[in-house]
Every structure is written in C-alpha cells, then in structure tokens.
Amino acid sequence: VVKSRMQLKQNENDPNSYRSVSDGFRKIARTEGVAGLYKGIQAKLLQSVLASAFTFAFKEEFYTSAVWLLVLLRLREASK
C-alpha cells in the first residue's frame, strides 16, 4: 500500500505526501488505522491463488503430455 501511494503522491508541495516508507506507514496507521495497511490485499490474494492454480494445472498437463510423448517415442524406436 505504501509503495503504491508513494508512486501516486509524488507532489513534494503536498503535506500529505510521504517523505519515506516509514513516514508512509506512520501516516496510514495514524489516519486509517492498521487496517489501512491491508487495503487491496483481497485482489492480490486472488491474483496469487489464480496464478498458482494455473501454474499447477499447466505443470500437470505438461508432465502428462511429456510422459506420453516419451512413451510414444520409445514405442516407435522399439518397432524399428
């Protein structure tokens, strides 16, 4: 959250802009409470879960295809 907000709030004249990461943590905790540090975490968790699920599914499918390919190649070589 702090990194995203620091990238958005780059105006040095703005008193609400963050001078450092620790300043950002302090200002967010003071104004929004500790829960403010976890804003947007649902989207990041969903992204991570979906990425892991797709990676696992692709890995399983790739492994199965590779095994079948090796079996077919061995059968082809054995028939020669």
Side-chain angles (χ1 to χ4, degrees), residues 32-39:
E32 301 173 38
V34 178
L37 296 171
Y38 294 98
K39 281 189 175 179

Side-chain angles (χ1 to χ4, degrees), residues 3-4 39-56:
K3 177 187 148 206
S4 300
K39 281 189 175 179
I41 198 164
Q42 296 92 351
K44 186 62 178 167
L45 285 174
L46 178 63
Q47 175 192 11
S48 297
V49 168
L50 290 175
S52 297
F54 285 122
T55 301
F56 180 75

